[in-house]
Amino acid sequence: MRKIRIALLHLLPIAGDIKYNQNLIEKAVKQASEKNVDWVITPELATSGLQFTHIIGTDWIKQQPDKWMTHFYNIVGSLKTTVFIGCADKSKQDNKLYNSVFVINEKGELIGKQKKIARVDNWSASGEVIEPIDLGYIKVGVLICADSYTKNIADTLLTKGAEILVAPSSWGPGLHGPNGEWEHRSIDTGLPIFVCNRTGEDTTVSFWEAESLVIKNGKRLLSHKSAQSAILMFDWNLDDMNLISSNFEIIYVD
């Protein structure tokens, strides 16, 4: 049996406090690695929070890897795990800004990046390329938050060989909150989907009731919400694509 252990970082970032969020991510990734996880997944825009522009603008966004991301690559390599991290990015070609997820392998190497396609803010450009990330032993499709809203992106990832979907998100309940989109994407594609959401609140969005989830065939197998940062760990069978764990193993992050 090919078993992997996955950690969802259900974090409480502070919008615009880059240093605080970077330190929180580092701490949580290190704690997760102590439990021998194979993958660590962060929420969408984990380094900045969702609504940061009115606080710090966008001038801080650099082409990646910047100084901190290079440092983080080294941390990930030393911990021998694979990390999916949500972070703003600047294009080298035209200086456009993107809401991105970077995938760093156990050697501390960038092996893939997905730019958010379904733009819902006023600072980022829409990504154009939809490709699963090849980890060498499995292909993973990345749906960044609203990229799960319709079936188009998930279907494209499936067509291109994705075997699992991960959804780094900052999507709280409310007027435009999630309403079965992740479940429908798992039904549409037949693929399991691991949703890494967050807690806390930004200026106009509350995440206190937001859930991180493990979903297969439209069914929520595991779910979690909390008022503080938490590491949610579970075991997954890659051979039959089934959940091994009966519950999340949870570590709360101070």
Side-chain angles (χ1 to χ4, degrees), residues 41 58 91 147 187:
I41 305 169
T58 58
S91 169
D147 286 347
I187 294 171

Side-chain angles (χ1 to χ4, degrees), residues 167-222:
S169 302
S170 293
W171 202 349
L175 180 61
H176 302 291
N179 187 27
E181 288 85 357
W182 293 309
E183 290 88 342
H184 286 302
R185 299 300 79 81
S186 73
I187 294 171
D188 295 337
T189 62
L191 302 181
I193 181 168
F194 308 149
V195 180
C196 185
N197 217 331
R198 55 162 290 188
T199 187
E201 62 184 35
D202 286 359
T203 303
T204 64
V205 185
S206 173
F207 304 100
W208 298 114
E209 296 295 316
E211 295 176 281
S212 289
L213 303 159
V214 175
I215 298 170
K216 183 180 179 183
N217 297 329
K219 296 182 179 180
R220 296 183 170 202
L221 305 180
L222 298 177

Side-chain angles (χ1 to χ4, degrees), residues 108-250:
E109 301 166 340
L110 179 69
I111 58 171
K113 176 173 68 174
Q114 180 64 57
K115 299 172 182 176
K116 187 174 182 179
I117 306 296
R119 173 183 174 274
V120 295
D121 55 52
N122 60 5
W123 64 267
S124 68
S126 295
E128 298 177 353
V129 178
I130 305 171
E131 289 286 347
I133 311 298
D134 190 348
L135 272 59
Y137 54 93
I138 191 112
K139 290 185 177 180
V140 181
V142 177
L143 297 168
I144 304 175
C145 201
D147 286 347
S148 300
Y149 191 69
T150 66
K151 63 181 294 187
N152 301 346
I153 299 170
D155 284 353
T156 299
L157 288 166
L158 174 66
T159 300
K160 293 189 173 185
E163 300 164 88
I164 287 175
L165 300 174
V166 302
S169 302
S170 293
W171 202 349
L175 180 61
H176 302 291
N179 187 27
E181 288 85 357
W182 293 309
E183 290 88 342
H184 286 302
R185 299 300 79 81
S186 73
I187 294 171
D188 295 337
T189 62
L191 302 181
I193 181 168
F194 308 149
V195 180
C196 185
N197 217 331
R198 55 162 290 188
T199 187
E201 62 184 35
D202 286 359
T203 303
T204 64
V205 185
S206 173
F207 304 100
W208 298 114
E209 296 295 316
E211 295 176 281
S212 289
L213 303 159
V214 175
I215 298 170
K216 183 180 179 183
N217 297 329
K219 296 182 179 180
R220 296 183 170 202
L221 305 180
L222 298 177
S223 66
H224 173 88
K225 60 183 178 181
S226 61
Q228 67 187 100
S229 294
I231 302 167
L232 315 175
M233 291 167 288
F234 64 99
D235 295 319
W236 187 264
N237 186 336
L238 290 178
D239 288 328
D240 62 10
M241 286 297 171
N242 277 316
L243 180 67
I244 298 171
S245 305
S246 55
N247 295 288
F248 282 129
E249 179 182 346
I250 302 173

